């Protein structure tokens, strides 16, 4: 037994690193479970298995430390959060295989007409309801990963936590999810239209401090915003596109957001004119956007092992405000707008900054 434990330990990527000797028996047991095709296990069951190790069994705090360290190393998936801390995914690849049930290429769609129809509708709308999702998981090859209802409920909660499934709380139906990563629809030609919109549109641009925004982060940002504002509908279809979305902020105001390279571009348009736009609406939009972007950045970086504190997250991006100028948008710093009544853009045009100040609350009233 001792030789077996030593041989197992030497094969690990963490070999040579300091760690408690008490971890080794449980590591060996988890390895054996993987070989028996156990993928998701209740934490309570894992604790009972560990109790078989007698004097080397871990206490509850030690077990939590073990799981969280192994999670950080990518050896398993465990979140010490309410609703997620009851299960452990001991084989992380199983989550990838579960995702393939609804995030997959059309050539791999099931032959079954009903299941095929579910996925076709998902690609078209980006939306799936819980009943259809559970139906997809009834296929035999997914049973090995989720063998009962409780494990399926756990996976749904986990996918929501990871922003792969976005709970559309504004939907009239219950348990309806948006799946941003399956949306391939290209933005329509009028999505970026700014010509002759100077009188009713103000703009904003976030620039992330990297060459491009990772696709997973882009999906997370767009998905999070759908929980904040209702999507605009055209021809009974939601205006949701690849890395872009069109929202109804209110009856008079529309919000367009899209992600391009390392920029998050925002346009807020009033149906009539900027004169009719409420400064509080614009400032609320800016604060919600900033909060969502910061939360998404924080989650993204921390998920990939780059520990960023809440105080440091604001250093990961810059924000500018702008106005339509011909076929383009001219941007300037928020500080410039606050300090000056007008500014001259790169096109040598003189722009009024009055409405651009709507992006921030006037705290002196």
């Amino acid at each position: 037994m001792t030789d077996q434990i030593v041989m197992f330990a030497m094969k690990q990527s963490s070999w040579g690193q300091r760690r408690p000797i008490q971890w080794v028996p449980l590591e060996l047991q988890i390895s054996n479970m993987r070989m028996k095709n156990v993928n998701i296990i209740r934490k309570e069951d894992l604790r009972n298995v560990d109790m078989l190790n007698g004097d080397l069994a871990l206490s509850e705090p030690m077990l939590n430390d073990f799981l969280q360290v192994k999670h950080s190393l990518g050896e398993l998936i465990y979140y010490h959060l309410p609703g997620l801390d009851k299960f452990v995914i001991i084989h992380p690849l199983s989550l990838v295989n579960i995702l393939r049930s609804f995030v997959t290429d059309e050539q791999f769609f099931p032959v079954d007409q009903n299941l095929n129809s579910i996925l076709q509708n998902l690609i078209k709308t980006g939306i799936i309801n819980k009943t259809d999702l559970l139906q997809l998981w009834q296929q035999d090859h997914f049973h090995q990963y989720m063998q009962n209802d409780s494990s399926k409920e756990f996976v749904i909660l986990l996918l929501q936590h990871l922003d792969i499934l976005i709970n559309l709380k504004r939907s009239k139906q219950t348990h309806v999810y948006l799946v941003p990563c399956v949306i391939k629809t290209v933005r329509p030609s009028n999505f970026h239209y700014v010509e002759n919109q100077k009188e009713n549109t103000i703009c904003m641009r976030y620039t992330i401090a990297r060459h491009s925004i990772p696709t997973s982060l882009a999906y997370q940002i767009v998905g999070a915003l759908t929980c904040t504002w209702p999507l605009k509908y055209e021809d009974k279809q939601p205006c949701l596109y690849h890395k872009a979305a069109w929202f109804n902020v209110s009856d008079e105001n529309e919000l367009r957001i899209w992600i391009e390279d390392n920029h998050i571009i925002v346009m807020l348009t009033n149906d009539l004119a900027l004169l009719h736009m409420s400064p509080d609406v614009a400032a609320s939009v800016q604060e919600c956007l900033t909060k969502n972007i910061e939360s998404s950045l924080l989650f993204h970086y921390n998920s990939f092992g780059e520990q960023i504190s809440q105080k440091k997250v604001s250093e990961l991006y810059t924000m500018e405000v702008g106005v339509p100028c011909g076929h383009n948008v001219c941007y300037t710093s928020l500080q410039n707008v606050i300090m000056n009544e007008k500014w001259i853009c790169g096109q040598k045009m003189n722009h009024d900054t009055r409405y651009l100040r709507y992006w921030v609350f006037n705290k002196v009233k």
Side-chain angles (χ1 to χ4, degrees), residues 131-197:
T131 303
D132 288 342
L133 184 59
L134 293 176
Q135 216 171 327
L136 290 170
W137 288 349
Q138 286 177 3
Q139 298 174 84
D140 291 341
H141 50 287
F142 293 113
H143 181 70
Q144 62 177 306
Y145 307 117
M146 301 169 289
Q147 298 183 354
N148 50 53
D149 291 342
S150 59
S151 60
K152 291 175 184 176
E153 292 295 333
F154 160 71
V155 170
I156 288 175
L157 285 175
L158 177 60
L159 294 179
Q160 289 183 73
H161 175 70
L162 297 174
D163 284 331
I164 294 170
L165 294 178
I166 308 295
N167 193 351
L168 289 178
K169 297 176 182 177
R170 292 176 176 270
S171 172
K172 294 180 181 179
Q173 304 178 54
T174 56
H175 301 302
V176 176
Y177 306 108
L178 173 69
V179 190
C181 60
V182 304
I183 299 166
K184 306 301 179 187
T185 307
V186 179
R187 302 186 293 265
S189 57
N190 66 333
F191 191 90
H192 317 85
Y193 185 76
V194 293
E195 193 173 5
N196 300 322
Q197 289 198 13

Side-chain angles (χ1 to χ4, degrees), residues 206-214 217 261-264 293 297 301 306 312-319:
Y206 296 87
T207 301
I208 308 301
R210 54 192 304 164
H211 295 301
S212 63
I213 296 177
L217 178 56
D261 298 326
N262 64 332
H263 302 300
I264 302 166
I293 289 169
L297 283 169
Y301 276 88
E306 299 180 51
K312 293 284 186 179
V313 72
S314 61
E315 299 175 7
L316 300 175
Y317 68 91
T318 57
M319 184 179 73

Side-chain angles (χ1 to χ4, degrees), residues 21-200:
I21 191 67
Q22 280 182 277
W23 286 11
V24 177
L26 183 56
E27 287 175 336
L28 184 59
Q29 289 165 324
I30 289 175
S31 179
N32 288 334
M33 283 189 278
R34 290 192 190 112
M35 288 189 287
K36 294 177 181 178
N37 290 323
V38 176
N39 296 285
I40 300 176
I41 185 171
R42 292 168 65 233
K43 183 183 176 184
E44 183 180 345
D45 292 336
L46 187 63
R47 187 187 298 112
N48 291 336
V49 168
D50 183 52
M51 292 301 292
L52 299 175
N53 295 320
D55 293 341
L56 291 178
L58 305 179
S59 65
E60 184 65 22
M62 290 175 67
L63 179 60
N64 287 332
D65 288 343
F66 170 85
L67 292 173
Q68 290 180 77
V69 169
K70 292 298 180 181
H71 173 93
S72 68
L73 294 172
E75 295 179 19
L76 51 77
I77 298 174
Y78 173 74
Y79 288 95
H80 192 53
L81 297 169
L84 297 176
D85 58 355
K86 304 299 182 187
F87 285 85
V88 182
I89 300 180
I90 62 174
H91 199 330
L93 188 60
S94 63
L95 185 60
V96 176
N97 292 328
I98 290 170
L99 281 173
R100 287 175 179 160
S101 64
F102 61 96
V103 183
T104 187
D105 193 87
E106 195 167 349
Q107 63 179 313
F108 301 115
F109 281 10
V111 176
D112 181 277
Q113 188 173 354
N114 184 41
L115 299 180
N116 193 289
S117 176
I118 290 172
L119 292 175
Q120 291 288 355
N121 185 65
L122 173 60
I123 285 181
K124 184 179 179 182
T125 65
I127 293 171
I128 190 170
N129 63 55
K130 183 178 179 179
T131 303
D132 288 342
L133 184 59
L134 293 176
Q135 216 171 327
L136 290 170
W137 288 349
Q138 286 177 3
Q139 298 174 84
D140 291 341
H141 50 287
F142 293 113
H143 181 70
Q144 62 177 306
Y145 307 117
M146 301 169 289
Q147 298 183 354
N148 50 53
D149 291 342
S150 59
S151 60
K152 291 175 184 176
E153 292 295 333
F154 160 71
V155 170
I156 288 175
L157 285 175
L158 177 60
L159 294 179
Q160 289 183 73
H161 175 70
L162 297 174
D163 284 331
I164 294 170
L165 294 178
I166 308 295
N167 193 351
L168 289 178
K169 297 176 182 177
R170 292 176 176 270
S171 172
K172 294 180 181 179
Q173 304 178 54
T174 56
H175 301 302
V176 176
Y177 306 108
L178 173 69
V179 190
C181 60
V182 304
I183 299 166
K184 306 301 179 187
T185 307
V186 179
R187 302 186 293 265
S189 57
N190 66 333
F191 191 90
H192 317 85
Y193 185 76
V194 293
E195 193 173 5
N196 300 322
Q197 289 198 13
K198 186 175 181 179
E199 301 303 320
N200 64 348

